[in-house]
mmCIF file of all heavy atoms in Angstrom:
data_model
loop_
_atom_site.group_PDB
_atom_site.id
_atom_site.type_symbol
_atom_site.label_atom_id
_atom_site.label_comp_id
_atom_site.label_asym_id
_atom_site.label_seq_id
_atom_site.Cartn_x
_atom_site.Cartn_y
_atom_site.Cartn_z
ATOM 1 N N ASN D 35 -108.704 -217.841 24.452
ATOM 2 C CA ASN D 35 -109.704 -216.790 24.619
ATOM 3 C C ASN D 35 -111.000 -217.378 25.183
ATOM 4 O O ASN D 35 -111.071 -218.580 25.464
ATOM 5 C CB ASN D 35 -109.924 -216.047 23.300
ATOM 6 C CG ASN D 35 -110.402 -216.958 22.192
ATOM 7 O OD1 ASN D 35 -111.292 -217.785 22.403
ATOM 8 N ND2 ASN D 35 -109.822 -216.834 21.007
ATOM 9 N N ASP D 65 -112.136 -211.851 25.210
ATOM 10 C CA ASP D 65 -112.301 -210.718 24.288
ATOM 11 C C ASP D 65 -113.392 -210.886 23.232
ATOM 12 O O ASP D 65 -113.873 -209.906 22.677
ATOM 13 C CB ASP D 65 -110.966 -210.412 23.580
ATOM 14 C CG ASP D 65 -110.408 -211.609 22.836
ATOM 15 O OD1 ASP D 65 -110.994 -212.703 22.934
ATOM 16 O OD2 ASP D 65 -109.369 -211.467 22.168
ATOM 17 N N HIS D 66 -113.805 -212.127 22.970
ATOM 18 C CA HIS D 66 -114.697 -212.331 21.828
ATOM 19 C C HIS D 66 -116.122 -211.823 22.063
ATOM 20 O O HIS D 66 -116.659 -211.089 21.247
ATOM 21 C CB HIS D 66 -114.718 -213.807 21.412
ATOM 22 C CG HIS D 66 -113.556 -214.168 20.543
ATOM 23 N ND1 HIS D 66 -112.255 -213.950 20.924
ATOM 24 C CD2 HIS D 66 -113.483 -214.712 19.305
ATOM 25 C CE1 HIS D 66 -111.439 -214.340 19.950
ATOM 26 N NE2 HIS D 66 -112.164 -214.808 18.953
ATOM 27 N N ILE D 104 -108.306 -206.754 22.909
ATOM 28 C CA ILE D 104 -108.324 -207.923 22.025
ATOM 29 C C ILE D 104 -106.962 -208.614 22.123
ATOM 30 O O ILE D 104 -105.919 -207.960 22.044
ATOM 31 C CB ILE D 104 -108.621 -207.512 20.569
ATOM 32 C CG1 ILE D 104 -109.969 -206.785 20.483
ATOM 33 C CG2 ILE D 104 -108.608 -208.728 19.663
ATOM 34 C CD1 ILE D 104 -110.253 -206.174 19.125
ATOM 35 N N GLU D 105 -106.987 -209.923 22.285
ATOM 36 C CA GLU D 105 -105.766 -210.705 22.538
ATOM 37 C C GLU D 105 -104.568 -210.295 21.671
ATOM 38 O O GLU D 105 -103.474 -210.040 22.188
ATOM 39 C CB GLU D 105 -106.059 -212.205 22.388
ATOM 40 C CG GLU D 105 -106.818 -212.537 21.082
ATOM 41 C CD GLU D 105 -107.413 -213.946 21.050
ATOM 42 O OE1 GLU D 105 -106.882 -214.844 21.719
ATOM 43 O OE2 GLU D 105 -108.416 -214.152 20.334
ATOM 44 N N HIS D 106 -104.775 -210.228 20.356
ATOM 45 C CA HIS D 106 -103.614 -209.991 19.486
ATOM 46 C C HIS D 106 -103.181 -208.531 19.454
ATOM 47 O O HIS D 106 -102.163 -208.191 18.875
ATOM 48 C CB HIS D 106 -103.899 -210.506 18.074
ATOM 49 C CG HIS D 106 -104.429 -211.893 18.079
ATOM 50 N ND1 HIS D 106 -103.791 -212.912 18.762
ATOM 51 C CD2 HIS D 106 -105.550 -212.436 17.535
ATOM 52 C CE1 HIS D 106 -104.515 -214.029 18.617
ATOM 53 N NE2 HIS D 106 -105.572 -213.763 17.889
ATOM 54 N N VAL D 107 -103.986 -207.679 20.073
ATOM 55 C CA VAL D 107 -103.562 -206.287 20.226
ATOM 56 C C VAL D 107 -102.751 -206.161 21.514
ATOM 57 O O VAL D 107 -101.699 -205.532 21.548
ATOM 58 C CB VAL D 107 -104.777 -205.325 20.251
ATOM 59 C CG1 VAL D 107 -104.326 -203.900 20.562
ATOM 60 C CG2 VAL D 107 -105.524 -205.375 18.925
ATOM 61 N N ASP D 125 -106.335 -219.753 18.671
ATOM 62 C CA ASP D 125 -107.000 -218.730 17.864
ATOM 63 C C ASP D 125 -106.184 -218.587 16.596
ATOM 64 O O ASP D 125 -104.967 -218.440 16.651
ATOM 65 C CB ASP D 125 -107.057 -217.388 18.604
ATOM 66 C CG ASP D 125 -107.909 -216.384 17.824
ATOM 67 O OD1 ASP D 125 -107.388 -215.757 16.885
ATOM 68 O OD2 ASP D 125 -109.100 -216.266 18.143
ATOM 69 N N SER D 126 -106.863 -218.620 15.461
ATOM 70 C CA SER D 126 -106.114 -218.687 14.200
ATOM 71 C C SER D 126 -105.261 -217.446 13.915
ATOM 72 O O SER D 126 -104.298 -217.522 13.173
ATOM 73 C CB SER D 126 -107.057 -218.967 13.035
ATOM 74 O OG SER D 126 -108.079 -218.010 12.998
ATOM 75 N N HIS D 127 -105.616 -216.313 14.538
ATOM 76 C CA HIS D 127 -104.810 -215.120 14.264
ATOM 77 C C HIS D 127 -103.644 -214.929 15.232
ATOM 78 O O HIS D 127 -103.051 -213.853 15.299
ATOM 79 C CB HIS D 127 -105.711 -213.878 14.203
ATOM 80 C CG HIS D 127 -106.651 -213.946 13.042
ATOM 81 N ND1 HIS D 127 -107.964 -214.329 13.172
ATOM 82 C CD2 HIS D 127 -106.438 -213.762 11.715
ATOM 83 C CE1 HIS D 127 -108.523 -214.365 11.974
ATOM 84 N NE2 HIS D 127 -107.623 -214.021 11.074
ATOM 85 N N THR D 130 -100.114 -213.296 14.461
ATOM 86 C CA THR D 130 -99.823 -211.851 14.506
ATOM 87 C C THR D 130 -98.418 -211.499 15.019
ATOM 88 O O THR D 130 -97.781 -210.558 14.541
ATOM 89 C CB THR D 130 -100.864 -211.149 15.424
ATOM 90 O OG1 THR D 130 -102.174 -211.506 14.985
ATOM 91 C CG2 THR D 130 -100.715 -209.650 15.404
ATOM 92 N N ASN D 218 -100.853 -210.632 11.048
ATOM 93 C CA ASN D 218 -102.191 -211.038 11.484
ATOM 94 C C ASN D 218 -102.926 -211.806 10.390
ATOM 95 O O ASN D 218 -103.615 -212.785 10.636
ATOM 96 C CB ASN D 218 -102.986 -209.783 11.872
ATOM 97 C CG ASN D 218 -104.419 -210.057 12.251
ATOM 98 O OD1 ASN D 218 -105.311 -210.011 11.420
ATOM 99 N ND2 ASN D 218 -104.662 -210.370 13.517
ATOM 100 N N GLU D 222 -104.783 -215.898 6.365
ATOM 101 C CA GLU D 222 -105.794 -215.758 5.307
ATOM 102 C C GLU D 222 -105.303 -216.230 3.940
ATOM 103 O O GLU D 222 -106.084 -216.328 2.998
ATOM 104 C CB GLU D 222 -106.341 -214.334 5.224
ATOM 105 C CG GLU D 222 -106.936 -213.755 6.509
ATOM 106 C CD GLU D 222 -107.833 -214.694 7.308
ATOM 107 O OE1 GLU D 222 -108.464 -215.576 6.713
ATOM 108 O OE2 GLU D 222 -107.863 -214.529 8.539
ATOM 109 N N GLY D 304 -111.720 -201.357 13.552
ATOM 110 C CA GLY D 304 -111.277 -202.014 14.781
ATOM 111 C C GLY D 304 -110.727 -203.391 14.497
ATOM 112 O O GLY D 304 -110.246 -203.651 13.395
ATOM 113 N N SER D 305 -110.772 -204.296 15.488
ATOM 114 C CA SER D 305 -110.326 -205.695 15.440
ATOM 115 C C SER D 305 -108.833 -205.857 15.679
ATOM 116 O O SER D 305 -108.089 -204.880 15.753
ATOM 117 C CB SER D 305 -110.692 -206.370 14.118
ATOM 118 O OG SER D 305 -109.715 -206.106 13.125
ATOM 119 N N CYS D 306 -108.409 -207.132 15.766
ATOM 120 C CA CYS D 306 -106.993 -207.431 16.000
ATOM 121 C C CYS D 306 -106.163 -207.106 14.769
ATOM 122 O O CYS D 306 -104.942 -207.106 14.813
ATOM 123 C CB CYS D 306 -106.810 -208.884 16.403
ATOM 124 S SG CYS D 306 -107.319 -210.062 15.156
ATOM 125 N N THR D 307 -106.834 -206.843 13.641
ATOM 126 C CA THR D 307 -106.107 -206.474 12.432
ATOM 127 C C THR D 307 -105.811 -204.974 12.422
ATOM 128 O O THR D 307 -104.700 -204.552 12.127
ATOM 129 C CB THR D 307 -106.942 -206.822 11.169
ATOM 130 O OG1 THR D 307 -107.523 -208.104 11.367
ATOM 131 C CG2 THR D 307 -106.096 -206.830 9.927
ATOM 132 N N THR D 365 -113.393 -204.854 22.078
ATOM 133 C CA THR D 365 -113.946 -206.211 21.968
ATOM 134 C C THR D 365 -113.786 -206.686 20.523
ATOM 135 O O THR D 365 -113.573 -205.872 19.632
ATOM 136 C CB THR D 365 -115.447 -206.228 22.350
ATOM 137 O OG1 THR D 365 -115.952 -207.563 22.209
ATOM 138 C CG2 THR D 365 -116.278 -205.315 21.454
ATOM 139 N N CYS D 366 -113.883 -208.000 20.317
ATOM 140 C CA CYS D 366 -113.878 -208.524 18.942
ATOM 141 C C CYS D 366 -115.182 -208.124 18.262
ATOM 142 O O CYS D 366 -115.212 -207.796 17.086
ATOM 143 C CB CYS D 366 -113.781 -210.038 18.951
ATOM 144 S SG CYS D 366 -112.221 -210.663 19.578
ATOM 145 N N GLY D 367 -116.263 -208.222 19.030
ATOM 146 C CA GLY D 367 -117.582 -207.770 18.585
ATOM 147 C C GLY D 367 -118.014 -208.222 17.212
ATOM 148 O O GLY D 367 -118.188 -209.409 16.954
ATOM 149 N N PRO D 368 -118.212 -207.270 16.280
ATOM 150 C CA PRO D 368 -118.783 -207.614 14.978
ATOM 151 C C PRO D 368 -117.820 -208.409 14.084
ATOM 152 O O PRO D 368 -118.260 -209.043 13.134
ATOM 153 C CB PRO D 368 -119.085 -206.254 14.354
ATOM 154 C CG PRO D 368 -118.170 -205.285 15.034
ATOM 155 C CD PRO D 368 -117.960 -205.829 16.420
ATOM 156 N N CYS D 369 -116.526 -208.389 14.396
ATOM 157 C CA CYS D 369 -115.541 -209.066 13.544
ATOM 158 C C CYS D 369 -115.948 -210.496 13.249
ATOM 159 O O CYS D 369 -115.830 -210.967 12.130
ATOM 160 C CB CYS D 369 -114.163 -209.022 14.189
ATOM 161 S SG CYS D 369 -112.979 -210.042 13.326
ATOM 162 N N LEU D 370 -116.421 -211.202 14.283
ATOM 163 C CA LEU D 370 -116.818 -212.597 14.076
ATOM 164 C C LEU D 370 -118.333 -212.745 14.133
ATOM 165 O O LEU D 370 -118.854 -213.830 14.371
ATOM 166 C CB LEU D 370 -116.148 -213.519 15.107
ATOM 167 C CG LEU D 370 -116.698 -213.531 16.539
ATOM 168 C CD1 LEU D 370 -116.257 -214.796 17.241
ATOM 169 C CD2 LEU D 370 -116.320 -212.326 17.312
ATOM 170 N N GLY D 371 -119.028 -211.638 13.925
ATOM 171 C CA GLY D 371 -120.486 -211.713 13.963
ATOM 172 C C GLY D 371 -121.000 -211.967 15.363
ATOM 173 O O GLY D 371 -122.041 -212.591 15.546
ATOM 174 N N THR D 387 -111.586 -205.479 9.483
ATOM 175 C CA THR D 387 -111.307 -206.798 10.065
ATOM 176 C C THR D 387 -110.597 -207.683 9.029
ATOM 177 O O THR D 387 -110.144 -207.180 7.999
ATOM 178 C CB THR D 387 -112.622 -207.434 10.557
ATOM 179 O OG1 THR D 387 -113.582 -207.392 9.486
ATOM 180 C CG2 THR D 387 -113.199 -206.641 11.724
ATOM 181 N N ASN D 388 -110.542 -208.987 9.289
ATOM 182 C CA ASN D 388 -109.701 -209.840 8.441
ATOM 183 C C ASN D 388 -110.425 -210.922 7.650
ATOM 184 O O ASN D 388 -109.810 -211.634 6.865
ATOM 185 C CB ASN D 388 -108.599 -210.472 9.295
ATOM 186 C CG ASN D 388 -109.158 -211.072 10.567
ATOM 187 O OD1 ASN D 388 -110.258 -211.623 10.570
ATOM 188 N ND2 ASN D 388 -108.413 -210.966 11.659
ATOM 189 N N ARG D 389 -111.720 -211.104 7.871
ATOM 190 C CA ARG D 389 -112.423 -212.162 7.140
ATOM 191 C C ARG D 389 -113.742 -211.648 6.593
ATOM 192 O O ARG D 389 -114.466 -210.945 7.299
ATOM 193 C CB ARG D 389 -112.682 -213.369 8.051
ATOM 194 C CG ARG D 389 -111.431 -214.168 8.247
ATOM 195 C CD ARG D 389 -111.652 -215.414 9.062
ATOM 196 N NE ARG D 389 -110.399 -216.173 9.085
ATOM 197 C CZ ARG D 389 -110.016 -216.949 10.071
ATOM 198 N NH1 ARG D 389 -110.807 -217.128 11.108
ATOM 199 N NH2 ARG D 389 -108.863 -217.582 10.011
ATOM 200 N N ARG D 394 -120.058 -213.871 7.935
ATOM 201 C CA ARG D 394 -119.078 -213.621 8.997
ATOM 202 C C ARG D 394 -119.546 -212.531 9.974
ATOM 203 O O ARG D 394 -119.296 -212.592 11.158
ATOM 204 C CB ARG D 394 -117.731 -213.233 8.362
ATOM 205 C CG ARG D 394 -116.658 -212.768 9.337
ATOM 206 C CD ARG D 394 -115.967 -213.905 10.067
ATOM 207 N NE ARG D 394 -114.905 -213.391 10.935
ATOM 208 C CZ ARG D 394 -114.169 -214.124 11.758
ATOM 209 N NH1 ARG D 394 -114.361 -215.421 11.821
ATOM 210 N NH2 ARG D 394 -113.240 -213.593 12.508
HETATM 211 S S1 SF4 L 1 -110.839 -209.386 16.370
HETATM 212 FE FE1 SF4 L 1 -111.764 -210.896 15.033
HETATM 213 S S2 SF4 L 1 -110.102 -212.039 14.112
HETATM 214 FE FE2 SF4 L 1 -109.289 -210.887 15.856
HETATM 215 S S3 SF4 L 1 -109.316 -212.336 17.559
HETATM 216 FE FE3 SF4 L 1 -111.221 -211.187 17.599
HETATM 217 S S4 SF4 L 1 -112.685 -212.406 16.415
HETATM 218 FE FE4 SF4 L 1 -110.640 -213.164 15.938
#
Side-chain angles (χ1 to χ4, degrees):
Chain D
N35 60 45
D65 57 355
H66 278 55
I104 302 172
E105 49 194 333
H106 311 309
V107 174
D125 187 277
S126 55
H127 294 100
T130 307
N218 176 268
E222 304 317 331
S305 85
C306 62
T307 317
T365 179
C366 294
C369 171
L370 76 160
T387 52
N388 48 36
R389 284 184 175 150
R394 172 79 177 176

